[in-house]
Amino acid sequence: MERKSASGSIRNKERSKKKFLDAVGKILKTKGHAGLKINDIAATAGVDKKMIYTYFGGMDGLMDEYVRTQDFWVKATSEEVEKMKPNLEDGGRDFIQHMLQSQFDYVYTNKEAQKLLLWTISEPRKSLKKLIDTQEENGEYIFKLLMESRFKDKMDTYRSIMAIMVSGLYYLNMFASLNGSLFCGIDTNTPEGREKIKKAISFMVDQTYENL
């Protein structure tokens, strides 16, 4: 009986944590980051706000866990990268092309990720700084594992190209989501427009690897 009770308590805890995380996402999508108040999160989750402190240690802990579930590059941990079994001999060419195209699709279909991106450039916050630091750590792991031996003294140029591509793809998706209009004559709200962007990603990656 004790074992059943313990497992039931664990399940209840996980359910409650998920309710809080889902509530953060719901509020972020509907009201933006300004609506993320502890009382509103608890009311939306239908769970006593004291449990935010019990399960997450407070709002910062809740935000930390939430952003880890949403950001594309935070999920690109060393363990996840190793599971993908990237080709170590091509300098990360196929891997980075796949990752950039996946980022493009992920952000487009994930409204919470879009709101999170907007939040990161709207105000300073501990959990958001931690998100950015984790993105950088994961990116550094990928660069060292796959690209540094290929580009060597040109690595700074490679990093700069990737910075432009990653941020540009973020912006295209957010622009399309908020304004639904053309960008440079390409409608990224249509399958045809998105396919054109993906072909451009492949072209830019190929040019980088062939000419840098």
Side-chain angles (χ1 to χ4, degrees):
M1 292 293 289
E2 243 179 81
R3 201 172 288 167
K4 283 186 181 177
S5 176
S7 65
S9 177
I10 291 168
R11 283 196 299 273
N12 286 337
K13 176 182 177 180
E14 292 308 311
R15 278 196 293 268
S16 295
K17 286 180 70 174
K18 186 176 185 307
K19 286 180 181 179
F20 281 127
L21 294 168
D22 289 346
V24 171
K26 184 175 181 180
I27 292 171
L28 195 57
K29 282 193 290 186
T30 56
K31 299 180 180 178
H33 63 270
L36 291 172
K37 310 296 184 188
I38 194 164
N39 288 333
D40 292 339
I41 292 170
T44 302
V47 182
D48 191 322
K49 69 180 181 181
K50 292 177 184 176
M51 294 298 100
I52 292 177
Y53 297 94
T54 301
Y55 297 148
F56 303 98
M59 276 291 285
D60 282 338
L62 173 58
M63 292 301 107
D64 285 348
E65 189 150 341
Y66 174 76
V67 298
R68 283 198 299 272
T69 68
Q70 297 302 319
D71 183 76
F72 180 82
W73 289 102
V74 163
K75 294 180 179 182
T77 61
S78 57
E79 292 83 3
E80 290 303 312
V81 171
E82 285 168 16
K83 283 180 192 175
M84 297 177 199
K85 302 188 184 306
N87 182 358
L88 300 179
E89 296 179 2
D90 72 350
R93 183 173 182 159
D94 290 342
F95 177 84
I96 200 63
Q97 179 176 307
H98 168 74
M99 292 296 280
L100 290 170
Q101 291 178 338
S102 296
Q103 174 204 323
F104 186 53
D105 285 338
Y106 177 83
V107 176
Y108 183 70
T109 57
N110 191 324
K111 301 302 179 186
E112 290 176 56
Q114 293 171 18
K115 294 292 186 180
L116 186 57
L117 285 166
L118 287 172
W119 192 14
T120 62
I121 57 174
S122 300
E123 67 170 13
R125 191 184 181 97
K126 270 186 193 176
S127 53
L128 298 179
K129 178 63 167 64
K130 195 175 288 186
L131 162 68
I132 293 163
D133 289 344
T134 304
Q135 288 173 330
E136 284 297 304
E137 287 171 15
N138 291 350
E140 197 61 28
Y141 171 78
I142 292 168
F143 286 148
K144 288 183 182 300
L145 176 69
L146 297 172
M147 291 90 177
E148 281 196 345
S149 61
R150 164 68 173 75
F151 291 100
K152 298 175 183 173
D153 60 335
K154 295 179 180 177
M155 193 60 199
D156 282 347
T157 303
Y158 180 87
R159 289 171 182 269
S160 301
I161 292 168
M162 288 304 114
I164 292 167
M165 291 183 72
V166 169
S167 59
L169 293 172
Y170 277 151
Y171 183 79
L172 277 176
N173 276 321
M174 290 190 289
F175 185 86
S177 175
L178 294 171
N179 290 302
S181 55
L182 300 178
F183 198 98
C184 292
I186 304 294
D187 186 351
T188 52
N189 278 325
T190 66
E192 296 80 12
R194 296 189 66 77
E195 189 58 31
K196 288 174 184 176
I197 298 296
K198 287 185 178 181
K199 285 181 179 177
I201 291 170
S202 298
F203 174 80
M204 287 187 283
V205 170
D206 287 343
Q207 289 297 306
T208 299
Y209 276 81
E210 289 165 16
N211 298 308
L212 184 61

